[in-house]
Amino acid sequence: MRGRETPPRVRNNIWITIVFVDIIIYSSVGCGRRKYICEYRQAGRQAGTNAFTLVEVLITIVVIGILAGLMMISSGSATDKAEETACLNNRKVLQREYNVRHSTEASKNFESLMDEVLQAQNRGIKIYSSPVFYSISDICPAKGVVAASLPDIRDSSRVTVACALHSDNLDDTLFVQLSNLLNKEDIVDIHSGNVHVTDLTSYFDTGNRAGNIEATLDSTGVNFGQYFKDYLARITGLDMSSYPWQIQRTSLVKQNGNYNYTISWSTQKIDNLQKGDTISVTRYSTETGKTETGTAKVTTKVNGGKTIKVFDMTTFVPD
């Protein structure tokens, strides 16, 4: 059976490379060596052969290896793009199915409708759900967690669906709903020495944070910040380690047993920034329910004996 011929472009590139390298080698050797090469090639031509030198054979092998590597890289990129496209299509199906069901079953709440939407699919496993938030695995072919949420709890007709891996950035409403999870009682059971924390309220009522309006909970913290971050990842399936966030009370007065907070976050990695650098930040108020974007400066503070990078929200400038 006749083998497949090498494409002309590839064949030409190989020969060009061989000739180029051969010229370099030829020009770099001494006069006696050049004479020997010429005599050797002349003898080869007289014998009616087109024999390759050892160097030419090695160069050919190297070029073929490079071309094969480029083909593998191209194949990997095509696979990533295919997975991203499939994930986007799957999210569109979820959102469209939700909208259809909401239009015919408006009396049902967000969680119930999302349960029905997921059951109608041939893929997807629920990780966590609340009246405003729903996270799912096995929707994204690249294993990214897909999360649906309500931007406005009073309007269940509007739902956003994002992928932690393929969305340009997680929708702001997802951060709002994730931060609201931290307001639930008994969400965690953290022991650090003699300190016992079960929710945000007990965190801010503990130690020197109790009467300090400037006290914050930072995701970059080595103790409680890490615990709360791990909790969010464990409950929702979303890895929040790449997104720095900060929570601060707006008042020392409680309402219905809880404080009001401002929750600030960024989709930039703060570890790569220096003190004084500007970082894009989104800020959400639990009291007003409003979200605003802007910039703030990066600063440092000592936490658990370690210097960490955090937002300085006193420098926040709205867009």
Side-chain angles (χ1 to χ4, degrees):
M1 181 180 294
R2 185 179 179 181
R4 180 179 298 178
E5 294 184 358
T6 305
R9 180 181 297 178
V10 175
R11 186 169 60 249
N12 291 338
N13 289 340
I14 293 175
W15 277 108
I16 290 172
T17 304
I18 291 173
V19 172
F20 180 71
V21 174
D22 199 38
I23 290 173
I24 295 175
I25 295 173
Y26 183 76
S27 62
S28 64
V29 299
C31 295
R33 177 61 177 162
R34 284 200 296 269
K35 180 179 179 181
Y36 171 77
I37 293 175
C38 291
E39 292 176 351
Y40 175 79
R41 288 181 177 169
Q42 184 65 27
R45 283 194 294 269
Q46 291 175 354
T49 63
N50 292 316
F52 287 105
T53 67
L54 176 61
V55 172
E56 289 171 337
V57 172
L58 293 176
I59 293 298
T60 302
I61 294 173
V62 170
V63 170
I64 293 175
I66 293 174
L67 293 176
L70 293 175
M71 290 178 63
M72 292 179 64
I73 294 174
S74 176
S75 176
S77 299
T79 300
D80 292 343
K81 185 63 178 177
E83 290 178 340
E84 182 178 357
T85 301
C87 177
L88 176 61
N89 291 335
N90 291 342
R91 283 182 277 134
K92 286 182 177 179
V93 169
L94 288 177
Q95 191 162 18
R96 185 166 56 248
E97 182 71 16
Y98 177 88
N99 292 336
V100 170
R101 290 182 180 274
H102 183 272
S103 64
T104 58
E105 305 175 74
S107 60
K108 292 188 176 181
N109 59 36
F110 168 76
E111 278 187 272
S112 299
L113 289 175
M114 283 303 303
D115 284 339
E116 292 182 5
V117 169
L118 190 58
Q119 290 174 4
Q121 310 302 309
N122 57 2
R123 63 177 69 85
I125 300 174
K126 180 169 73 172
I127 302 174
Y128 172 84
S129 69
S130 74
V132 292
F133 185 86
Y134 203 102
S135 58
I136 314 169
S137 65
D138 295 349
I139 290 293
C140 171
K143 307 303 181 183
V145 174
V146 171
S149 68
L150 294 179
D152 187 347
I153 193 172
R154 297 163 297 182
D155 182 10
S156 60
S157 65
R158 295 177 55 235
V159 63
T160 61
V161 183
C163 175
L165 186 61
H166 290 126
S167 297
D168 290 337
N169 52 58
L170 287 177
D171 190 278
D172 288 349
T173 58
L174 297 183
F175 277 97
V176 173
Q177 306 311 335
L178 286 172
S179 62
N180 285 341
L181 291 176
L182 297 178
N183 251 331
K184 295 175 62 178
E185 294 182 1
D186 299 326
I187 58 170
V188 289
D189 188 12
I190 302 172
H191 293 271
S192 180
N194 296 323
V195 180
H196 182 211
V197 172
T198 59
D199 59 6
L200 278 180
T201 301
S202 63
Y203 170 80
F204 282 103
D205 282 343
T206 302
N208 57 10
R209 294 182 293 271
N212 183 7
I213 190 64
E214 297 181 357
T216 60
L217 172 63
D218 298 282
S219 64
T220 52
V222 296
N223 292 323
F224 296 112
Q226 184 63 46
Y227 292 141
F228 277 96
K229 187 167 56 179
D230 291 344
Y231 163 77
L232 290 176
R234 185 174 66 255
I235 296 298
T236 67
L238 290 170
D239 181 7
M240 305 294 292
S241 59
S242 298
Y243 304 100
W245 46 264
Q246 181 184 89
I247 301 177
Q248 185 173 13
R249 288 172 294 183
T250 58
S251 171
L252 295 178
V253 179
K254 296 179 182 178
Q255 293 183 356
N256 299 322
N258 288 319
Y259 295 109
N260 282 314
Y261 304 95
T262 55
I263 298 98
S264 308
W265 65 88
S266 177
T267 55
Q268 291 181 251
K269 290 187 176 181
I270 199 170
D271 291 340
N272 299 330
L273 302 177
Q274 301 298 321
K275 183 177 180 178
D277 287 348
T278 300
I279 187 171
S280 298
V281 176
T282 302
R283 182 169 66 179
Y284 169 73
S285 170
T286 61
E287 184 176 10
T288 64
K290 294 182 178 180
T291 302
E292 59 180 340
T293 59
T295 59
K297 298 292 185 180
V298 175
T299 188
T300 59
K301 71 177 185 180
V302 177
N303 177 264
K306 178 182 177 181
T307 301
I308 62 173
K309 296 176 183 177
V310 298
F311 307 140
D312 181 3
M313 292 307 293
T314 62
T315 65
F316 180 78
V317 178
D319 290 337

